[in-house]
């Protein structure tokens, strides 16, 4: 007969929890974790969609990040305590549930040369030839963790450990739109020309940000990106189509 020390009660997993923190007097941040993790991010994306689908009056913006959602609200319509209580009652994705896949986007990239001036440095960091480094970068399907920095800038992950080169010590004053870069374990695409310090390894002719459209951002948190290497001829053809509104 087993001793009492060996008997165990059935294990019932606790409901996944989050923290709700005030961000000034007109926003709340809901934290799901403290690391870059696809499981955490999938909960973030699902919860952000749930909040959006409530269509609550007085909610100005819902911003998902790697590990949290920030809800911006009108303080004349909501107070933090009331909104926090409403947020706690919403359904949320449980740990271990299947992650609904976002849209798969195949993004063409011309690697190296003037379009990717840091490819050789990244390859040297990885102990690879430039064509091997670009092939490794393009071999991974990346999750869109969040948008930020500039309109439609997608933070994608996770980059192969070999290619995870830190940002440049001195940022460039201008990075061309469409540039594909690496910063540690992240890769991303510059949607507009801005200053930036990421290691530039290529460029896409596909616009990430289409100003003036009802839905200006090509990528959404939770989507998947597959980079496809192309040559100069294909880049010029696709760039011409994009500039003339055929993207």
């Amino acid at each position: 007969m087993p001793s009492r020390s060996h008997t165990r009660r059935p294990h019932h997993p606790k409901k996944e929890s989050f923290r709700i923190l005030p961000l000034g007097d007109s926003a709340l941040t809901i934290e799901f974790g403290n690391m870059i993790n696809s499981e955490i991010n999938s909960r973030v994306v699902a919860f952000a969609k749930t909040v959006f689908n409530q269509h609550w009056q007085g909610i100005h913006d819902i911003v998902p990040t790697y590990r949290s959602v920030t809800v911006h609200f009108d303080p004349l319509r909501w107070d933090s305590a009331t909104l926090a209580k409403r947020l706690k009652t919403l359904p949320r994705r449980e740990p271990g549930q299947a992650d609904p896949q976002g849209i798969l986007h195949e993004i063409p990239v011309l690697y190296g040369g003037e379009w990717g001036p840091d490819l050789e440095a990244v390859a040297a960091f990885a102990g690879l030839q430039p064509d091997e480094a670009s092939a490794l970068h393009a071999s991974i399907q990346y999750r869109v963790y969040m948008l930020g920095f500039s309109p439609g800038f997608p933070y994608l992950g996770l980059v192969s450990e070999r290619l995870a080169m830190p940002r440049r010590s001195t940022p460039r004053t201008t990075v061309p739109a469409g540039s594909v870069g690496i910063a540690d374990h992240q890769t991303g695409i510059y949607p507009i020309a801005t200053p930036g310090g990421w290691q530039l390894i290529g460029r896409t002719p596909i616009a990430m940000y289409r100003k003036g459209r009802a839905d200006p951002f090509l990528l959404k948190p939770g989507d998947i990106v597959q980079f496809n290497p192309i040559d100069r001829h294909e880049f010029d053809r696709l760039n011409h189509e994009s500039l003339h509104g055929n993207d």
Side-chain angles (χ1 to χ4, degrees):
M1 182 175 179
S3 65
R4 293 181 64 184
S5 63
H6 288 87
T7 60
R8 296 180 181 274
R9 295 181 179 180
H11 175 67
H12 299 291
K14 292 183 179 180
K15 189 175 181 63
E16 179 258 328
S17 61
F18 50 55
R19 294 199 307 161
I20 299 181
L21 305 171
L23 185 63
D25 63 356
S26 60
L28 292 174
T29 293
I30 304 95
E31 291 189 343
F32 286 82
N34 59 2
M35 64 183 70
I36 298 177
N37 177 288
S38 61
E39 171 67 22
I40 291 172
N41 186 251
S42 66
R43 296 179 215 160
V44 167
V45 172
F47 191 74
K49 290 179 180 177
T50 297
V51 178
F52 177 82
N53 289 336
Q54 305 311 302
H55 301 292
W56 289 336
Q57 295 295 315
I59 300 299
H60 294 320
D61 202 4
I62 302 162
V63 184
T65 70
Y66 277 109
R67 61 186 184 87
S68 66
V69 180
T70 296
V71 179
H72 296 267
F73 61 88
D74 181 352
L76 298 179
R77 285 179 172 265
W78 293 92
D79 64 82
S80 295
T82 300
L83 181 57
K85 288 180 181 179
R86 293 284 294 274
L87 292 170
K88 288 177 181 178
T89 66
L90 295 178
R92 54 191 186 270
R93 185 181 173 277
E94 296 291 343
Q97 277 186 301
D99 182 14
Q101 288 291 315
I103 298 172
L104 173 63
H105 301 265
E106 296 189 359
I107 305 295
V109 178
L110 177 56
Y111 285 96
E114 65 182 274
W115 304 272
D118 297 321
L119 178 61
E120 290 191 7
V122 171
F125 174 85
L128 299 170
Q129 294 299 314
D131 60 338
E132 294 174 324
S134 59
L136 178 56
H137 181 262
S139 70
I140 298 169
Q141 287 192 341
Y142 298 97
R143 179 184 180 86
V144 182
Y145 278 88
M146 59 176 283
L147 303 180
F149 169 58
S150 63
F153 186 103
Y155 287 83
L156 313 174
L158 294 173
V159 170
S160 166
E161 188 73 35
R162 296 187 72 174
L163 299 177
M165 188 173 179
R167 291 172 172 82
R168 291 168 54 88
S169 57
T170 303
R172 292 180 169 90
T173 56
T174 303
V175 174
S179 293
V180 177
I182 286 175
D184 296 303
H185 291 89
Q186 306 167 112
T187 186
I189 309 168
Y190 285 78
I192 58 176
T194 60
W198 291 35
Q199 306 287 348
L200 305 183
I201 60 172
R203 196 180 305 171
T204 179
I206 304 302
M208 298 294 105
Y209 174 59
R210 289 80 56 88
K211 184 177 180 181
R213 294 194 179 188
D215 187 4
F217 304 139
L218 177 64
L219 305 178
K220 303 288 190 299
D223 284 354
I224 304 297
V225 169
Q226 176 74 65
F227 291 111
N228 292 328
I230 58 174
D231 59 21
R232 173 66 185 279
H233 175 76
E234 183 69 0
F235 179 91
D236 288 343
R237 183 185 70 80
L238 292 172
N239 190 50
H240 182 269
E241 290 183 358
S242 180
L243 291 173
H244 289 80
N246 298 320
D247 58 320

